[in-house]
Structure formats: structure tokens, C-alpha cells
Amino acid sequence: SAVISQKPSRDICQRGTSLTIQCQVDSQVTMMFWYRQQPGQSLTLIATANQGSEATYESGFVIDKFPISRPNLTFSTLTVSNMSPEDSSIYLCSVREGLIFEQFFGPGTRLTVL
Amino acid sequence: KNEVEQSPQNLTAQEGEFITINCSYSVGISALHWLQQHPGGGIVSLFMLSSGKKKHGRLIATINIQEKHSSLHITASHPRDSAVYICAVNSGSRLTFGEGTQLTVNP
């Protein structure tokens, strides 16, 4: 199974600032995803991080607000830009090898925006 | 109506009890996942099922494709089993999540 680490594990940020979350996987994976989990809610897919090209965003999420990089098959970053209290959530990195293979999740980054 | 529905939403049990969490879905799927989320937020994959039954330690997961229903059972529950249990289904390339079941096991 893939082992995923995320940095930071948690942060408290001021309104209007930006935070970049890093995701590192211990093996090369084809598919990497970023999810958001708002308080009391289930997971929502933000985007699929594509290696060497622009991420594929889900409806309701835009690149200006959530820029994503994926320079190689083991690493990705998600930036939460111009933050507001509504961005307070857990952000999770996830990986999968194919369409129906097991999906693995990182430990999450708990973000609080004041 | 959500594509993936779980019941119950909240469950409190005494240590040692047998626990069942249910998941129903309304779409065609290629696989179903049971996930465990602890208070810190990290998620652990417990099972991936496409048919039948799987067992790992005290955990058992079953799926009935015809009835579009899956169950997660925990035998001899323990306080360390306290967590949110999430059912998720692969429909095409997308993973769709249930709302989760908050399980609390009291000593």
C-alpha cells in the first residue's frame, strides 16, 4: 500500500493569506487527488492532479483559488489562496493506481482560517 | 437523494458488542470501499469490495451487488474502534462518499 505524508498537519491562518499544502507519496502513482472535508461533511473532490500538466478541477473549484502542482509521480502541492473562514476544512491528498484499484489517503491537513 | 447512503449516522456501543454499519447505493459501481477516519482527520482504507465478503481481524465487510447494499461488521468492539466509518463507491473513475457513521464504543 502507498504511504502518504502531508505537510503541514495543521495550521491556523489569517484571512486573505495563502497556504500551500504538500503531499509526498513513497512510490510512483498514476493518479493523485485533492479532497476537501468541511466540518461535519463528507469528502468533496477538488481536483485531480496531473503530472506535468494543469490539474482537472471539479465543478465549483477553480485554479485561481486552488492552484495545484504535480511536478513528478510522487509529489503534489495544493495552495488555498486568499483564504476566508469558509475555507476552514480538512484537506486530504489521495492516490490510486487505476480506475478500480484501492485508493489511499494521506493524514490530512486541518486548516483553520480566522 | 444521495447516491450513497449510510445508516445509522451515529452509533454508541458498549465494549464487546457486535456492530453493524450499513451502506446503500443507487448507481452502478465497479467497487465499494470502507474507510475509517479518526478524530485527527487521517483516513485509513479498511476494505475494497466488488463482490462477496472480506475479513480482516475483527472487521468483516459484505456486499450484495443485486441489492446494492453493503455492511461493515465489527466483532468484539473496543474503544479504539471509535471513529467515523465512511462508505465510498467507484462509479467510473469517480469515488462517491457516504456521509459517514460516527461510532463511539464506551468501555
Side-chain angles (χ1 to χ4, degrees):
Chain A
S1 61
V3 177
I4 305 169
S5 59
Q6 281 185 235
K7 289 182 183 179
S9 58
R10 57 176 60 229
D11 207 342
I12 300 173
C13 300
Q14 295 297 319
R15 181 195 299 260
T17 62
S18 298
L19 176 72
T20 295
I21 303 168
Q22 298 180 2
C23 175
Q24 179 73 55
V25 191
D26 69 342
S27 59
Q28 294 185 343
V29 292
T30 51
M31 305 180 82
M32 292 182 77
F33 308 94
W34 286 99
Y35 289 89
R36 180 176 74 181
Q37 187 180 32
Q38 294 177 300
Q41 305 290 315
S42 192
L43 283 77
T44 301
L45 180 63
I46 297 171
T48 302
N50 300 310
Q51 192 255 332
S53 64
E54 193 172 288
T56 304
Y57 289 85
E58 297 297 304
S59 175
F61 297 96
V62 294
I63 188 170
D64 289 347
K65 175 67 175 177
F66 297 102
I68 288 171
S69 78
R70 190 177 174 192
N72 56 52
L73 294 177
T74 64
F75 185 79
S76 178
T77 66
L78 168 74
T79 299
V80 186
S81 303
N82 188 24
M83 289 184 284
S84 67
E86 292 71 33
D87 295 318
S88 297
S89 298
I90 297 173
Y91 291 87
L92 293 127
C93 173
S94 180
V95 304
R96 191 165 81 207
E97 270 304 316
L99 286 181
I100 59 169
F101 286 91
E102 194 165 1
Q103 190 155 336
F104 301 98
F105 292 84
T109 296
R110 187 180 292 272
L111 171 63
T112 301
V113 184
L114 303 177
Chain B
K1 190 178 188 320
N2 293 335
E3 292 179 340
V4 180
E5 296 207 335
Q6 290 183 232
S7 63
Q9 283 187 304
N10 293 283
L11 180 57
T12 300
Q14 287 301 121
E15 183 172 357
E17 286 185 359
F18 180 84
I19 288 163
T20 296
I21 299 170
N22 297 298
C23 175
S24 296
Y25 54 91
S26 57
V27 295
I29 69 169
S30 50
L32 181 142
H33 304 256
W34 282 103
L35 311 170
Q36 180 191 54
Q37 184 173 35
H38 280 279
I43 291 177
V44 174
S45 175
L46 298 175
F47 295 103
M48 185 181 75
L49 294 162
S50 53
S51 65
K53 176 179 175 178
K54 286 190 176 180
K55 184 176 189 293
H56 184 247
R58 295 181 294 106
L59 302 178
I60 303 167
T62 64
I63 187 169
N64 185 317
I65 297 293
Q66 287 72 31
E67 294 186 4
K68 295 188 174 179
H69 181 269
S70 175
S71 294
L72 176 69
H73 305 286
I74 305 175
T75 62
S77 60
H78 190 276
R80 65 174 175 265
D81 297 325
S82 298
V84 175
Y85 292 84
I86 302 170
C87 172
V89 300
N90 279 111
S91 182
S93 62
R94 178 173 297 275
L95 196 61
T96 303
F97 298 86
E99 296 289 328
T101 296
Q102 173 70 62
L103 171 65
T104 303
V105 182
N106 294 318

